[in-house]
PDB file of all heavy atoms in Angstrom:
ATOM      1  N   GLN A 155      28.732  36.848  35.148  1.00 92.00           N
ATOM      2  CA  GLN A 155      28.312  35.481  34.826  1.00 92.00           C
ATOM      3  C   GLN A 155      29.433  34.724  34.128  1.00 92.00           C
ATOM      4  O   GLN A 155      29.667  33.548  34.405  1.00 92.00           O
ATOM      5  CB  GLN A 155      27.076  35.503  33.926  1.00 92.00           C
ATOM      6  CG  GLN A 155      25.799  35.880  34.628  1.00 92.00           C
ATOM      7  CD  GLN A 155      24.631  35.942  33.656  1.00 92.00           C
ATOM      8  OE1 GLN A 155      24.789  35.953  32.446  1.00 92.00           O
ATOM      9  NE2 GLN A 155      23.431  36.005  34.214  1.00 92.00           N
ATOM     10  N   ALA A 156      30.113  35.406  33.205  1.00 92.00           N
ATOM     11  CA  ALA A 156      31.219  34.753  32.486  1.00 92.00           C
ATOM     12  C   ALA A 156      32.331  34.382  33.458  1.00 92.00           C
ATOM     13  O   ALA A 156      32.928  33.307  33.345  1.00 92.00           O
ATOM     14  CB  ALA A 156      31.754  35.670  31.380  1.00 92.00           C
ATOM     15  N   ALA A 157      32.610  35.267  34.425  1.00 91.00           N
ATOM     16  CA  ALA A 157      33.658  34.972  35.412  1.00 91.00           C
ATOM     17  C   ALA A 157      33.259  33.770  36.267  1.00 91.00           C
ATOM     18  O   ALA A 157      34.089  32.892  36.549  1.00 91.00           O
ATOM     19  CB  ALA A 157      33.912  36.193  36.285  1.00 91.00           C
ATOM     20  N   ARG A 158      31.974  33.727  36.681  1.00 92.00           N
ATOM     21  CA  ARG A 158      31.530  32.577  37.473  1.00 92.00           C
ATOM     22  C   ARG A 158      31.574  31.298  36.646  1.00 92.00           C
ATOM     23  O   ARG A 158      31.972  30.240  37.132  1.00 92.00           O
ATOM     24  CB  ARG A 158      30.116  32.833  38.008  1.00 92.00           C
ATOM     25  CG  ARG A 158      30.081  33.841  39.147  1.00 92.00           C
ATOM     26  CD  ARG A 158      28.705  33.932  39.786  1.00 92.00           C
ATOM     27  NE  ARG A 158      27.676  34.415  38.893  1.00 92.00           N
ATOM     28  CZ  ARG A 158      27.428  35.704  38.616  1.00 92.00           C
ATOM     29  NH1 ARG A 158      28.168  36.634  39.166  1.00 92.00           N
ATOM     30  NH2 ARG A 158      26.467  36.049  37.793  1.00 92.00           N
ATOM     31  N   ALA A 159      31.173  31.393  35.369  1.00 92.00           N
ATOM     32  CA  ALA A 159      31.219  30.213  34.501  1.00 92.00           C
ATOM     33  C   ALA A 159      32.655  29.752  34.302  1.00 92.00           C
ATOM     34  O   ALA A 159      32.940  28.551  34.309  1.00 92.00           O
ATOM     35  CB  ALA A 159      30.574  30.535  33.149  1.00 92.00           C
ATOM     36  N   ALA A 160      33.573  30.711  34.147  1.00 91.00           N
ATOM     37  CA  ALA A 160      34.988  30.350  33.994  1.00 91.00           C
ATOM     38  C   ALA A 160      35.494  29.662  35.256  1.00 91.00           C
ATOM     39  O   ALA A 160      36.263  28.687  35.178  1.00 91.00           O
ATOM     40  CB  ALA A 160      35.823  31.588  33.689  1.00 91.00           C
ATOM     41  N   GLY A 161      35.066  30.152  36.421  1.00 91.00           N
ATOM     42  CA  GLY A 161      35.459  29.504  37.674  1.00 91.00           C
ATOM     43  C   GLY A 161      34.918  28.089  37.758  1.00 91.00           C
ATOM     44  O   GLY A 161      35.619  27.161  38.184  1.00 91.00           O
ATOM     45  N   THR A 162      33.667  27.916  37.357  1.00 91.00           N
ATOM     46  CA  THR A 162      33.051  26.590  37.370  1.00 91.00           C
ATOM     47  C   THR A 162      33.778  25.657  36.401  1.00 91.00           C
ATOM     48  O   THR A 162      34.046  24.501  36.729  1.00 91.00           O
ATOM     49  CB  THR A 162      31.561  26.691  36.979  1.00 91.00           C
ATOM     50  OG1 THR A 162      30.909  27.574  37.901  1.00 91.00           O
ATOM     51  CG2 THR A 162      30.887  25.339  37.003  1.00 91.00           C
ATOM     52  N   ILE A 163      34.112  26.183  35.240  1.00 92.00           N
ATOM     53  CA  ILE A 163      34.828  25.372  34.245  1.00 92.00           C
ATOM     54  C   ILE A 163      36.205  24.998  34.772  1.00 92.00           C
ATOM     55  O   ILE A 163      36.662  23.861  34.614  1.00 92.00           O
ATOM     56  CB  ILE A 163      34.922  26.123  32.897  1.00 92.00           C
ATOM     57  CG1 ILE A 163      33.531  26.176  32.250  1.00 92.00           C
ATOM     58  CG2 ILE A 163      35.926  25.476  31.966  1.00 92.00           C
ATOM     59  CD1 ILE A 163      33.446  27.075  31.044  1.00 92.00           C
ATOM     60  N   ALA A 164      36.877  25.960  35.408  1.00 90.00           N
ATOM     61  CA  ALA A 164      38.209  25.668  35.952  1.00 90.00           C
ATOM     62  C   ALA A 164      38.119  24.592  37.033  1.00 90.00           C
ATOM     63  O   ALA A 164      38.940  23.671  37.070  1.00 90.00           O
ATOM     64  CB  ALA A 164      38.836  26.944  36.520  1.00 90.00           C
ATOM     65  N   ALA A 165      37.097  24.707  37.896  1.00 90.00           N
ATOM     66  CA  ALA A 165      36.926  23.687  38.940  1.00 90.00           C
ATOM     67  C   ALA A 165      36.623  22.330  38.318  1.00 90.00           C
ATOM     68  O   ALA A 165      37.162  21.300  38.746  1.00 90.00           O
ATOM     69  CB  ALA A 165      35.813  24.100  39.900  1.00 90.00           C
ATOM     70  N   GLY A 166      35.759  22.316  37.303  1.00 89.00           N
ATOM     71  CA  GLY A 166      35.444  21.068  36.608  1.00 89.00           C
ATOM     72  C   GLY A 166      36.672  20.483  35.927  1.00 89.00           C
ATOM     73  O   GLY A 166      36.869  19.269  35.921  1.00 89.00           O
ATOM     74  N   ASN A 167      37.491  21.370  35.380  1.00 89.00           N
ATOM     75  CA  ASN A 167      38.715  20.923  34.727  1.00 89.00           C
ATOM     76  C   ASN A 167      39.655  20.270  35.732  1.00 89.00           C
ATOM     77  O   ASN A 167      40.247  19.219  35.458  1.00 89.00           O
ATOM     78  CB  ASN A 167      39.399  22.109  34.038  1.00 89.00           C
ATOM     79  CG  ASN A 167      40.598  21.694  33.227  1.00 89.00           C
ATOM     80  OD1 ASN A 167      40.702  20.564  32.798  1.00 89.00           O
ATOM     81  ND2 ASN A 167      41.507  22.622  33.025  1.00 89.00           N
ATOM     82  N   GLU A 168      39.790  20.905  36.912  1.00 90.00           N
ATOM     83  CA  GLU A 168      40.648  20.315  37.952  1.00 90.00           C
ATOM     84  C   GLU A 168      40.101  18.963  38.386  1.00 90.00           C
ATOM     85  O   GLU A 168      40.857  18.003  38.578  1.00 90.00           O
ATOM     86  CB  GLU A 168      40.734  21.260  39.153  1.00 90.00           C
ATOM     87  CG  GLU A 168      41.583  22.485  38.911  1.00 90.00           C
ATOM     88  CD  GLU A 168      41.627  23.412  40.109  1.00 90.00           C
ATOM     89  OE1 GLU A 168      41.342  22.951  41.235  1.00 90.00           O
ATOM     90  OE2 GLU A 168      41.939  24.592  39.910  1.00 90.00           O
ATOM     91  N   GLU A 169      38.778  18.885  38.530  1.00 89.00           N
ATOM     92  CA  GLU A 169      38.159  17.621  38.946  1.00 89.00           C
ATOM     93  C   GLU A 169      38.369  16.548  37.886  1.00 89.00           C
ATOM     94  O   GLU A 169      38.690  15.401  38.201  1.00 89.00           O
ATOM     95  CB  GLU A 169      36.669  17.855  39.190  1.00 89.00           C
ATOM     96  CG  GLU A 169      35.977  16.667  39.806  1.00 89.00           C
ATOM     97  CD  GLU A 169      34.527  16.982  40.164  1.00 89.00           C
ATOM     98  OE1 GLU A 169      34.255  18.087  40.665  1.00 89.00           O
ATOM     99  OE2 GLU A 169      33.677  16.111  39.925  1.00 89.00           O
ATOM    100  N   MET A 170      38.211  16.941  36.610  1.00 92.00           N
ATOM    101  CA  MET A 170      38.412  15.969  35.527  1.00 92.00           C
ATOM    102  C   MET A 170      39.868  15.527  35.456  1.00 92.00           C
ATOM    103  O   MET A 170      40.154  14.359  35.199  1.00 92.00           O
ATOM    104  CB  MET A 170      37.975  16.580  34.189  1.00 92.00           C
ATOM    105  CG  MET A 170      36.472  16.638  34.030  1.00 92.00           C
ATOM    106  SD  MET A 170      35.975  17.337  32.461  1.00 92.00           S
ATOM    107  CE  MET A 170      36.636  16.149  31.322  1.00 92.00           C
ATOM    108  N   THR A 171      40.783  16.458  35.704  1.00 89.00           N
ATOM    109  CA  THR A 171      42.206  16.104  35.699  1.00 89.00           C
ATOM    110  C   THR A 171      42.490  15.100  36.808  1.00 89.00           C
ATOM    111  O   THR A 171      43.208  14.114  36.596  1.00 89.00           O
ATOM    112  CB  THR A 171      43.069  17.367  35.872  1.00 89.00           C
ATOM    113  OG1 THR A 171      42.785  18.269  34.799  1.00 89.00           O
ATOM    114  CG2 THR A 171      44.540  17.038  35.887  1.00 89.00           C
ATOM    115  N   GLY A 172      41.924  15.354  38.000  1.00 88.00           N
ATOM    116  CA  GLY A 172      42.095  14.412  39.112  1.00 88.00           C
ATOM    117  C   GLY A 172      41.496  13.058  38.783  1.00 88.00           C
ATOM    118  O   GLY A 172      42.108  12.016  39.053  1.00 88.00           O
TER     119      GLY A 172
END
Side-chain angles (χ1 to χ4, degrees):
Q155 286 177 346
R158 286 188 296 278
T162 302
I163 289 171
N167 186 24
E168 287 179 21
E169 188 174 319
M170 284 181 63
T171 301

